[in-house]
Amino acid sequence: MNLSAYLARIGADVRPGDTSPEMLRALQTAHLTHVPYETMDIIRGVPFTLEPDALFDKIVTRRRGGYCFELNGLFALLLRELGFAVTEYFARFLRDADPGIPMRRHRVLRVTASDGQDYLCDVGVGGVCPLVPLPFSLYTETHEPNGVWRLVPDSVYGTVVEEYKAGSWAPYYAFTAEPQYPIDFVTTNYWCQSAPDSPFRASPIVCLQTGSGRRTLRGDEFRIFDGGRVEVIPAGDAENRDRLLWELFGIGT
């Protein structure tokens, strides 16, 4: 991996050998604010793999984004190159999920920093998400610009990430502590790209965190969240949508 190119892509300044919690926090925030979550290849019918060289070419060389299997996959490689210990898990999204047990179709990372503590890291969410790693400690609250978060145990789901909103705790996503390996994500990645009932094929999802909010594309609307202000921009025709994808997210055709 060309570390200098990857670090330049996310605008991160890394001190050699620094695997501190502060460095991990800086890396996650930098990634989320420089590399968009985006499903445009799925919408356009462009197949892609999770091979490291392909991920690096798409995200770093061609300066595109990706979704969780791509973004957290490449981020895990970066963290390992920098000296962090990384374990990968499958997760189920519970936020706004349909009734029943949702499919395991999200990739998350458990990362050990130099303080000996583990942190939940995730740079692959297409909406509201923690800008910083969450301590892998039950009931420990993390207050950061995008909200308040904690991990809690659950007899069915294993560990649930909760967000505090509207005066109460609500489930965000859940995972079990069963280590996964790159080959384990291949089948689900193929399903997300190809299955007729895959939600990723229904409409585009694009998101870039900004520190003070986020920019999104969902369906036919671009939205810019900045503090308490929300600007809605109709996507319009294909030409206008492609122009806005480039201007707001740096995503070319």
Side-chain angles (χ1 to χ4, degrees):
M1 179 183 292
N2 185 333
L3 279 177
S4 60
Y6 196 161
L7 294 171
R9 171 73 175 99
I10 64 174
D13 182 17
V14 172
R15 296 177 295 276
D18 186 352
T19 57
S20 65
E22 294 76 19
M23 180 55 66
L24 184 61
R25 180 186 181 107
L27 287 166
Q28 176 163 318
T29 301
H31 210 290
L32 285 165
T33 54
H34 286 79
V35 181
Y37 178 102
E38 53 122 331
T39 60
M40 295 310 300
D41 277 352
I42 298 177
I43 295 299
R44 293 164 176 166
V46 179
F48 54 89
T49 78
L50 303 181
E51 291 298 317
D53 287 349
L55 294 178
F56 189 90
D57 176 66
K58 179 178 179 179
I59 296 169
V60 178
T61 304
R62 294 191 283 127
R63 303 185 68 81
R64 287 282 305 277
Y67 73 154
C68 70
F69 294 113
E70 300 170 283
L71 297 174
N72 281 327
L74 193 62
F75 191 48
L77 293 174
L78 172 66
L79 293 177
R80 291 185 179 112
E81 286 282 333
L82 294 173
F84 291 94
V86 181
T87 303
E88 302 183 54
Y89 295 145
F90 254 126
R92 307 176 193 269
F93 252 97
L94 304 177
R95 192 180 203 257
D96 302 325
D98 293 330
I101 297 179
M103 180 180 181
R104 296 201 306 173
R105 54 175 177 79
H106 187 55
R107 186 179 196 170
V108 298
L109 312 176
R110 180 174 184 165
V111 183
T112 305
S114 60
D115 62 351
Q117 300 300 309
D118 289 346
Y119 298 86
L120 182 67
C121 293
D122 191 348
V123 296
V125 177
V128 177
C129 66
L131 284 174
V132 302
L134 304 181
F136 221 94
S137 174
L138 297 178
Y139 301 106
T140 298
E141 296 181 10
T142 298
H143 296 246
E144 53 86 40
N146 278 356
V148 183
W149 313 84
R150 69 178 185 180
L151 276 60
V152 300
D154 185 90
S155 60
V156 174
Y157 291 118
T159 301
V160 177
V161 178
E162 292 186 331
E163 59 177 329
Y164 192 77
K165 62 178 185 176
S168 63
W169 290 101
Y172 186 64
Y173 62 64
F175 58 90
T176 54
E178 178 187 356
Q180 304 294 314
Y181 302 93
I183 192 66
D184 296 321
F185 300 105
V186 170
T187 300
T188 307
N189 175 57
Y190 179 78
W191 183 91
C192 290
Q193 293 185 59
S194 309
D197 54 342
S198 166
F200 298 99
R201 297 185 61 187
S203 62
I205 306 171
V206 184
C207 181
L208 181 66
Q209 304 294 326
T210 63
S212 61
R214 63 193 182 280
R215 304 169 187 168
T216 67
L217 167 63
R218 283 187 177 266
D220 296 324
E221 286 186 345
F222 289 88
R223 295 190 177 190
I224 301 174
F225 298 83
D226 187 9
R229 183 181 68 88
V230 181
E231 180 183 358
V232 178
I233 306 173
D237 58 22
E239 181 179 353
N240 188 64
R241 186 181 71 173
D242 288 345
R243 178 182 63 82
L244 289 169
L245 282 170
W246 174 253
E247 292 179 357
L248 296 176
F249 305 100
I251 298 173
T253 56

